[in-house]
Amino acid sequence: MIKDGFPAGGDRDIVLVTGANKGIGFEVVRQLAETGQVVLLGARNRKLGETATERLHAEGLDVHLLEIDITDGTSIAVAADRVQRQLGRVDVLINNAGILLEGDFDNAGNEEDVVLPLPSSVSIDIVRRTFSTNTFGAIAMINAFLPLLRKAKAARIVNVSSRLASLSLADRVCRGSDETFLALLAYNSSKAALNAATLQYAIELRESGIRINAADPGHCATDINGHLGDRSPADAARAIVHLAGCDSAGPTGIFYGENGAIDW
Ligand code: NAP
């Protein structure tokens, strides 16, 4: 049975991870809880969130379900109000929830067989829905939780992006480079816009001590890509966990992957 009350954070960091009932977000929650932080496992579906939380409780981890749909303003406001009343601050916000609506990943045996729609054939509805979650949802989360992040001593925001969002990479591919790349109009553009937003916030928050960065978890096997990735979600969680652990002396306004900084 999941209790509705959160424990007092005390000196421990309070971390909120969105879209954490499965995949990379779930592993981020696990790895951060293993270091003794109080972790709020964000999930839009209460049942899926409860199942995920119970799995981590069985491992003895201090994890608490926070129901939150990042495309629903009311859901975000209710969640922020609950955290404000029960915990009073958030030290780390990890905008992990994301969707990929293009490409028939589920029916392909391997990455080379994935049927990708040409950018010009992706419907505007797909583009809008993708931006609603990957870009606008993350922005709505930052704006709603910034008052709580300002109450922390050295708050951090990590926006989970993708190397496919790198304009430098797309530019090289455009000019003939044969680096691995998938031209996904809605997904790549929504994450590139998230990267751009990351830098705007980094400029605003520079003097506040709040660090905000974008993370590339790297290609890994989860539901989002029909489990075609070659790494595990636990491996993918590492770049995100690294940025979540940076204190006020750490970087802000960077795009970071497992091998270090990535060109925007
Ligand atoms: P996943 O297993 O499909 O997990 C996505 C999570 O986001 C799920 O918990 C999903 O909830 C949640 N979500 C979707 N829309 C939401 C909404 N409106 N409100 C709240 N939660 C929502 O995919 P993943 O691979 O772990 O992806 C996590 C992040 O990593 C995403 O931002 C993705 O773009 C990024 N990423 C992944 C890879 C990769 O290779 N896997 C590579 C680069 C970047 P439900 O279960 O309810 O659908």
Side-chain angles (χ1 to χ4, degrees):
M1 181 67 183
I2 305 288
K3 286 186 273 160
D4 268 350
F6 297 135
D11 287 341
R12 297 185 296 160
D13 276 354
I14 298 162
V15 185
L16 166 56
V17 187
T18 64
N21 50 286
K22 65 180 182 181
I24 298 170
F26 179 78
E27 288 299 330
V28 169
V29 169
R30 174 187 269 144
Q31 289 178 23
L32 290 173
E34 280 171 352
T35 67
Q37 308 184 26
V38 177
V39 189
L40 307 181
L41 184 154
R44 62 176 161 177
N45 179 303
R46 187 172 180 91
K47 256 213 128 17
L48 295 177
E50 281 180 351
T51 304
T53 306
E54 278 162 4
R55 261 181 78 189
L56 295 174
H57 284 173
E59 296 175 19
L61 298 174
D62 192 10
V63 169
H64 305 270
L65 173 61
L66 183 67
E67 219 175 316
I68 189 160
D69 181 334
I70 66 162
T71 59
D72 178 343
T74 304
S75 168
I76 293 175
V78 167
D81 180 61
R82 188 174 160 214
V83 177
Q84 158 63 35
R85 281 185 289 102
Q86 297 191 17
L87 292 166
R89 69 167 207 277
V90 169
D91 294 272
V92 185
L93 167 64
I94 301 180
N95 281 315
N96 166 77
I99 57 171
L100 166 55
L101 301 175
E102 305 146 278
D104 191 8
F105 288 88
D106 286 336
N107 294 313
N110 58 59
E111 189 104 296
E112 290 74 48
D113 297 337
V114 177
V115 180
L116 293 181
L118 292 171
S120 57
S121 69
V122 177
S123 73
I124 194 68
D125 177 55
I126 293 285
V127 178
R128 281 207 180 95
R129 283 164 55 202
T130 306
F131 269 74
S132 271
T133 301
N134 295 358
T135 317
F136 308 147
I139 289 173
M141 284 295 298
I142 294 170
N143 291 347
F145 280 85
L146 207 42
L148 286 164
L149 290 157
R150 288 189 192 280
K151 303 243 174 71
K153 280 196 204 107
R156 287 86 75 192
I157 301 167
V158 183
N159 290 329
V160 179
S161 182
S162 164
R163 71 183 276 283
L164 294 174
S166 167
L167 297 182
S168 305
L169 170 61
D171 184 48
R172 290 197 299 275
V173 172
C174 190
R175 261 146 255 300
S177 161
D178 61 359
E179 291 163 88
T180 313
F181 187 70
L182 301 176
L184 298 164
L185 175 77
Y187 183 78
N188 296 0
S189 305
S190 70
K191 294 287 188 179
L194 176 63
N195 282 359
T198 303
L199 285 173
Q200 309 314 308
Y201 282 111
I203 293 165
E204 174 184 341
L205 299 173
R206 199 168 35 198
E207 304 303 331
S208 72
I210 300 175
R211 322 322 275 168
I212 176 164
N213 296 296
D216 167 34
H219 193 209
C220 81
T222 64
D223 284 353
I224 212 171
N225 55 20
H227 293 261
L228 294 182
D230 40 14
R231 298 159 72 244
S232 69
D235 289 336
R238 283 200 198 101
I240 301 165
V241 168
H242 173 80
L243 286 177
C246 290
D247 61 12
S248 53
T252 194
I254 68 163
F255 186 16
Y256 180 85
E258 60 171 341
N259 297 319
I262 299 173
D263 291 336
W264 292 105

